[in-house]
Amino acid sequence: MASQLTPAAGNRAEKILVIFPGALGDFICFLPALEALARRRRVDLLSRAEYADLAPRAVHVSSLERREVSRLFVPGAAPDAELERYFGAYASIYSWLGSGDKNLACAFQLLAGTRARLFPFQPDDDAMHISDYYLQCVGAPRLGELGAIPLNPDALCWRRRWCDEHELAGKKILALAPGSGAKEKNWPAGFFSRVARWWEEETKGKSIVVLGPTEEEGSEGGADWAGAVVARNLALAQVAALLSCCDIYLGNDSGTTHLAARLGIETVALFGPSDARQWAPRGKRVTVVSRGVECSPCDRRTMKICPHRRCLAELMPEAIIDAIRAVLARKKANFLALTRG
C-alpha cells in the first residue's frame, strides 16, 4: 500500500478533500466553512457540479456521483489501489456524507485513518444555526464578514439580453421565488401573485417570478402571474446573475432565498414550519417574517401531516406588503444619508 500511495503523497500537504451532499440552501450555509478551508490549502469539493458557479475561486468542484465515493458504501469491500491513490492524495478529508454508515466509516478508517473526519449533516442542537455548525466542524470562528459570491461572466451577458428583451431597464424589480424543496414550506402561490400586483401598482416597477421544474409542476406554475415576468428553468449561474440586479427579493425558506441573501439583495424570507434560529438566511439585508403560531416551528414529520398550515396560510399578503414597504423606506433613508454625508 505504501508504494502505491507514494506518488500522491508528495502533494498531500497542499490538498484538502471536502465531500458535501447538501441541496442549494445547505450549500449556501456551508459556504463560510468552505471559504475557511480554502484559505488554508487547495480544496477539491465533491458535491453538485452546478455549485462551481458559487464556490470560492480557489475551490475545484466536481460531481459527488463518482465511483470512488459509491465504493465507500459497499459492505465488506476492501479498498483497492485506485481508492488508495485517490484518497491518499489529500492531507485532510472532511465529509458530511454518510456519517452513520458503518461501511463508509470503516472504509475511511482503512484509507485515511485520522486524516478523514466524518460529521453528521446537521447538528444535534436545534438552536445552533447551520452555518455556525459547519464552521465549528472545520475549526473556524463564527461567521464574520461574508465573502462575495462570484457571478459567471456568461450569465451576466445572458442577464443583460434577458432584461433588454423584457424591457426591465430603469425599473424597480421585485424578485419572487414561490417554491422550495418542500411544498409544506411554501407560502400560498396566490399570496405571492397579490404582492406582485401590489408592487407593480405602487412602485410602477416589475416583478420577476423565478420558477424551476418543481414549481412548474406544482401550484406555483398554475398561479396567476399576469403582469409579471416569469423566468423558467434557469441554470444556477443565471439565477444568481438575475437576482443580483433586483431591488428586493421575496421567497420561502429555500435555497434561492439563501442565495439572494448571500448576494446582498434586500431579502424578505418567509418562515412557517421550519426554525429560523437554525435556517434563517444570512446576509447584510435580511428580514425574516413569520406568523408566530404556537405550534411553529415543528419537526419534519409534523410538517408533512399538518392539517391546517396556519403558520403560512394565516400569514396574510398585507403583512408582507408592510414588510416590503419598511424595507423600501429603510433603503430610501440610507440613500438620503449617504447623499447628505
Side-chain angles (χ1 to χ4, degrees), residues 112-136:
T114 58
R115 291 184 293 112
R117 306 173 195 180
L118 275 64
F119 303 99
F121 189 68
Q122 294 180 16
D124 293 330
D125 182 0
D126 292 341
M128 173 179 278
H129 194 280
I130 195 72
S131 287
D132 293 334
Y133 168 65
Y134 292 139
L135 285 165
Q136 182 185 85

Side-chain angles (χ1 to χ4, degrees), residues 133-191:
Y133 168 65
Y134 292 139
L135 285 165
Q136 182 185 85
C137 289
V138 303
R142 288 208 169 190
L143 197 62
E145 188 71 18
L146 292 168
I149 287 182
L151 295 176
N152 183 292
D154 291 338
L156 290 172
C157 292
W158 166 85
R159 183 190 74 186
R160 186 162 52 249
R161 295 192 302 271
W162 194 89
C163 288
D164 288 345
E165 177 185 344
H166 293 92
E167 301 179 344
L168 298 177
K171 295 181 179 177
K172 288 186 177 295
I173 299 176
L174 170 68
L176 305 170
S180 73
K183 64 181 181 180
E184 297 81 13
K185 298 191 296 182
N186 294 350
W187 201 44
F191 288 2

Side-chain angles (χ1 to χ4, degrees), residues 2-315:
S3 61
Q4 293 167 337
L5 293 179
T6 300
N11 295 324
R12 180 182 292 172
E14 303 172 7
K15 298 169 65 177
I16 294 174
L17 177 66
V18 174
I19 304 174
F20 189 80
L24 177 59
D26 306 312
F27 181 73
I28 300 295
C29 291
F30 178 65
L31 269 176
L34 185 62
E35 291 163 351
L37 290 175
R39 286 194 291 269
R40 303 175 192 174
R41 292 186 176 95
R42 169 187 157 178
V43 173
D44 290 344
L45 171 66
L46 299 183
S47 193
R48 296 189 182 185
E50 63 183 349
Y51 296 163
D53 285 315
L54 306 180
R57 298 189 188 280
V59 175
H60 177 266
V61 183
S62 56
S63 175
L64 188 58
E65 302 295 326
R66 56 189 302 139
R67 176 186 178 277
E68 291 89 347
V69 174
S70 61
R71 282 276 294 160
L72 298 174
F73 291 92
V74 177
D80 57 31
E82 184 179 348
L83 288 182
E84 290 167 351
R85 281 194 297 270
Y86 183 80
F87 291 104
Y90 296 97
S92 300
I93 300 169
Y94 295 82
S95 176
W96 286 265
L97 175 71
S99 66
D101 189 283
K102 293 181 179 179
N103 296 310
L104 181 140
C106 181
F108 263 139
Q109 179 63 35
L110 291 171
L111 287 164
T114 58
R115 291 184 293 112
R117 306 173 195 180
L118 275 64
F119 303 99
F121 189 68
Q122 294 180 16
D124 293 330
D125 182 0
D126 292 341
M128 173 179 278
H129 194 280
I130 195 72
S131 287
D132 293 334
Y133 168 65
Y134 292 139
L135 285 165
Q136 182 185 85
C137 289
V138 303
R142 288 208 169 190
L143 197 62
E145 188 71 18
L146 292 168
I149 287 182
L151 295 176
N152 183 292
D154 291 338
L156 290 172
C157 292
W158 166 85
R159 183 190 74 186
R160 186 162 52 249
R161 295 192 302 271
W162 194 89
C163 288
D164 288 345
E165 177 185 344
H166 293 92
E167 301 179 344
L168 298 177
K171 295 181 179 177
K172 288 186 177 295
I173 299 176
L174 170 68
L176 305 170
S180 73
K183 64 181 181 180
E184 297 81 13
K185 298 191 296 182
N186 294 350
W187 201 44
F191 288 2
F192 276 101
S193 62
R194 282 168 62 180
V195 174
R197 289 193 295 272
W198 162 80
W199 176 267
E200 290 161 21
E201 290 169 2
E202 181 151 320
T203 72
K204 309 306 177 187
K206 292 294 290 184
S207 299
I208 295 174
V209 182
V210 180
L211 297 180
T214 303
E215 290 78 48
E216 290 279 23
E217 295 171 3
S219 60
E220 299 84 5
D224 179 12
W225 301 118
V229 181
V230 180
R232 291 183 164 88
N233 298 325
L234 303 181
L236 183 55
Q238 292 174 326
V239 173
L242 189 57
L243 293 180
S244 69
C245 74
C246 296
D247 293 276
I248 298 181
Y249 167 93
L250 173 65
N252 303 304
D253 171 23
S254 69
T256 309
T257 300
H258 282 278
L259 177 59
R262 184 63 194 263
L263 288 166
I265 304 158
E266 292 283 1
T267 298
V268 178
L270 306 174
F271 271 71
S274 46
D275 193 340
R277 294 177 304 169
Q278 189 170 25
W279 291 104
R282 285 188 163 176
K284 295 179 179 179
R285 302 176 180 89
V286 176
T287 301
V288 174
V289 182
S290 62
R291 178 73 176 84
V293 298
E294 64 278 1
C295 57
S296 177
C298 61
D299 59 48
R300 186 172 296 275
R301 180 182 175 279
T302 304
M303 181 194 311
K304 295 289 184 184
I305 62 173
C306 178
H308 54 75
R309 300 184 69 242
R310 289 175 49 219
C311 57
L312 290 170
E314 294 182 2
L315 184 56

